[in-house]
Amino acid sequence: MESEPRQIAIIGAGYVGLSAAVCLSYMGNIVRCSDLNHERVSLLATGKSPIYETGLEELLGAGIDSGNLSFGTDNLWAVELADLVFLCLPTPQGPEGRADVSRVEEVAREIGPHLRSGCIVVNKSTVPVGSARMVQRAVGRRDVAVASNPEFLREGSAIQDFLHPDRIVIGADDEHVAMRVASLYMQLGAPLVVTDPATAETIKYASNAFLATKVSFVNALAALCEAIGADMASVVRGMGFDPRIGGAYLQPGPGWGGSCFPKDTAALVRLGDDAGYDFSLLRGAIAVNEQQHGRVLEKTVRLAGGSVLDARVAIWGLTFKAGTDDLRYSPALELAGRLRELGAKVAVYDPTVSGELDGLEVAPDPYAAATGAVVTVVATEWDEFRWLDFNKVGEIVARRAIVDARNLLDRDALRRAGFAYEGIGVR
Ligand code: UDX
């Protein structure tokens, strides 16, 4: 084991990179973080976070004040003194569902000649199986090792998840290299899984794909409950007590979204195809997710009276889930787009969204969004929607109709107040 503090470089200040940077500096390491976005780096250098994440700004401020955390736009500055270099770069969905690793490869090539001898390059972004070898080739150095250390943090609880992980997964061909990476996390007391790089990369995809499949299962079950008249809320409760099933990720909703599930499920199916395995189970989970978008749309049109042409529809919540300001692959945006295609005027409210959004009226509060609406859709489970004055809502809407795509609201109270209410899988 090395003696602390370690010098760490983080390349990429997105959700994963930034959370890793502030947490690793908080854990006593000296961290330099680089990102090619000048605006983002200038903001970070003043202690302000470009993303909404509980606890992040506190750790950011503390790190900067202690002198252990700094930001720049130059990757070579970041790696200059580093014992460990974490690649936290985007791997967007590329052609035919494959993850596009070109940014990872470019950076590995760029930093390769400038790394200190004995340094370890660690892939933290979700990268396809085999990427560690690709990075090793791109780095082009025998005296620099490459390891895989996938990150499992969720947006909205990124800091909490990083500092209290369920497990630490490290993939390396050399056990000594794996233990040097592992030593960073020893103080967190999490179970450690040490394996080869390809297996570590697979664990990340498998975990996301499993969770996405679990949510799709629940959404499919909710559709069945509606068809047969069972109550999904009780079904979920009844299932969740079984520790083999577990109560988490059993909430039906408008379908999964975000920056990981859609991209990683597509990539794993593709990975199977490329290797000659048809991952039909996962294809099914993806198809159910697409159907779920359609099901929420259908409910919305039905509660609007059969057509939304030239009608105003309100959407409460735009982010792909509560607790984040991330709109990537958000089911709410998908719904807004489909409603507009059907001729609706869509007004939206989200506590984290202001300013212009293409073709949508962004309202300053939920009441303003709902004014004159023929139907109002709860698309994101922001807690504040539960505490609205629904008598007031009832007076300002054109029709008392709510599609609660998160089963968030008190349906009995709403029905008593004269609202037509539709949840997901609930009577
Ligand atoms: C996910 C993984 O959880 C995390 O481990 C990985 O590192 C990144 O991808 P995140 O994208 O932040 O994290 O979202 P998560 O909280 O997992 O939710 C994913 C989607 O599933 C959201 O759209 C959410 O609304 C939906 N979901 C989740 C449900 O519809 N029901 C549930 O019960 C749980």
Side-chain angles (χ1 to χ4, degrees):
M1 303 280 157
E2 299 165 322
S3 57
E4 293 184 74
R6 300 169 196 79
Q7 299 271 358
I8 292 177
I10 310 262
I11 317 247
Y15 276 94
V16 170
L18 191 51
S19 305
V22 301
C23 291
L24 288 171
S25 104
Y26 171 73
M27 287 156 66
N29 305 287
I30 299 171
V31 178
R32 287 185 179 184
C33 178
S34 63
D35 193 292
L36 47 74
N37 184 331
H38 285 257
E39 219 177 295
R40 181 169 273 249
V41 166
S42 319
L43 193 68
L44 284 165
T46 63
K48 295 230 169 356
S49 170
I51 53 172
Y52 172 92
E53 201 57 66
T54 312
L56 198 151
E57 272 194 359
E58 285 82 344
L59 295 193
L60 177 64
I64 293 172
D65 290 349
S66 71
N68 282 351
L69 177 61
S70 44
F71 294 92
T73 50
D74 182 0
N75 294 339
L76 302 188
W77 158 81
V79 303
E80 195 179 11
L81 305 170
D83 308 311
L84 289 149
V85 175
F86 285 90
L87 302 182
C88 302
L89 294 155
T91 50
Q93 192 167 321
E96 298 169 10
R98 287 188 187 90
D100 174 0
V101 289
S102 52
R103 192 74 201 110
V104 177
E105 189 169 6
E106 265 168 45
V107 170
R109 253 185 238 298
E110 178 199 354
I111 62 174
H114 304 273
L115 298 171
R116 286 175 63 181
S117 187
C119 152
I120 304 174
V121 176
V122 187
N123 259 332
K124 220 176 198 349
S125 5
T126 306
V127 286
V129 177
S131 296
R133 285 187 210 299
M134 176 275 283
V135 170
Q136 184 80 64
R137 276 196 303 276
V139 164
R141 295 262 304 264
R142 281 175 188 278
D143 58 339
V144 170
V146 174
S148 163
N149 171 217
E151 181 51 60
F152 299 96
L153 57 79
R154 289 162 299 175
E155 290 184 18
S157 55
I159 302 301
Q160 167 75 13
D161 288 350
F162 193 98
L163 294 175
H164 304 279
D166 302 318
R167 77 294 210 189
I168 298 290
V169 174
I170 296 169
D173 287 323
D174 175 330
E175 200 177 324
H176 178 68
V177 168
M179 291 325 284
R180 272 180 63 203
V181 180
S183 68
L184 262 186
Y185 300 106
M186 284 306 181
Q187 58 182 289
L188 301 178
L192 183 64
V193 180
V194 174
T195 180
D196 61 274
T199 307
E201 289 155 356
T202 307
I203 290 171
K204 171 69 196 214
Y205 279 111
S207 301
N208 274 353
F210 185 85
L211 291 172
T213 304
K214 194 172 181 190
V215 175
S216 275
F217 178 84
V218 158
N219 284 334
L221 203 60
L224 181 73
C225 282
E226 285 175 13
I228 61 179
D231 177 41
M232 187 61 192
S234 303
V235 171
V236 163
R237 226 172 98 71
M239 288 167 67
F241 283 117
D242 185 333
R244 295 169 304 171
I245 297 172
Y249 283 76
L250 282 187
Q251 292 312 314
W256 35 262
S259 65
C260 293
F261 283 9
K263 164 171 87 70
D264 293 352
T265 47
L268 196 54
V269 165
R270 189 68 231 182
L271 210 70
D273 284 347
D274 289 348
Y277 175 68
D278 177 11
F279 207 149
S280 56
L281 176 67
L282 195 51
R283 276 188 212 283
I286 296 169
V288 164
N289 202 48
E290 279 156 14
Q291 285 162 19
Q292 194 64 5
H293 296 148
R295 290 173 44 75
V296 174
L297 179 70
E298 244 174 65
K299 285 173 189 279
T300 306
V301 174
R302 184 156 21 89
L303 258 64
S307 166
V308 290
L309 183 64
D310 294 328
R312 183 177 165 93
V313 175
I315 299 182
W316 287 343
L318 267 194
T319 53
F320 79 95
K321 63 174 185 176
T324 175
D325 58 357
D326 199 341
L327 297 174
R328 285 176 288 177
Y329 290 95
S330 171
L333 279 182
E334 173 76 27
L335 176 68
R338 293 200 193 183
L339 285 166
R340 285 186 60 215
E341 280 166 21
L342 296 178
K345 295 183 204 95
V346 181
V348 297
Y349 166 75
D350 187 284
T352 68
V353 175
S354 58
E356 304 276 301
L357 266 185
D358 187 32
L360 303 177
E361 177 190 328
V362 179
D365 61 64
Y367 300 107
T371 302
V374 293
V375 56
T376 300
V377 184
V378 178
T380 310
E381 70 281 27
W382 290 107
D383 197 54
E384 65 179 83
F385 300 146
R386 298 171 58 214
W387 312 109
L388 294 172
D389 175 351
F390 282 95
N391 288 326
K392 181 171 164 182
V393 173
E395 280 157 22
I396 57 179
V397 291
R399 288 167 72 103
R400 295 186 176 199
I402 291 195
V403 175
D404 183 0
R406 297 285 183 168
N407 293 347
L408 181 77
L409 307 179
D410 181 342
R411 56 184 188 273
D412 294 334
L414 282 169
R415 283 180 179 142
R416 277 198 303 275
F419 282 86
Y421 174 97
E422 278 245 12
I424 307 288
V426 290
R427 289 196 292 255

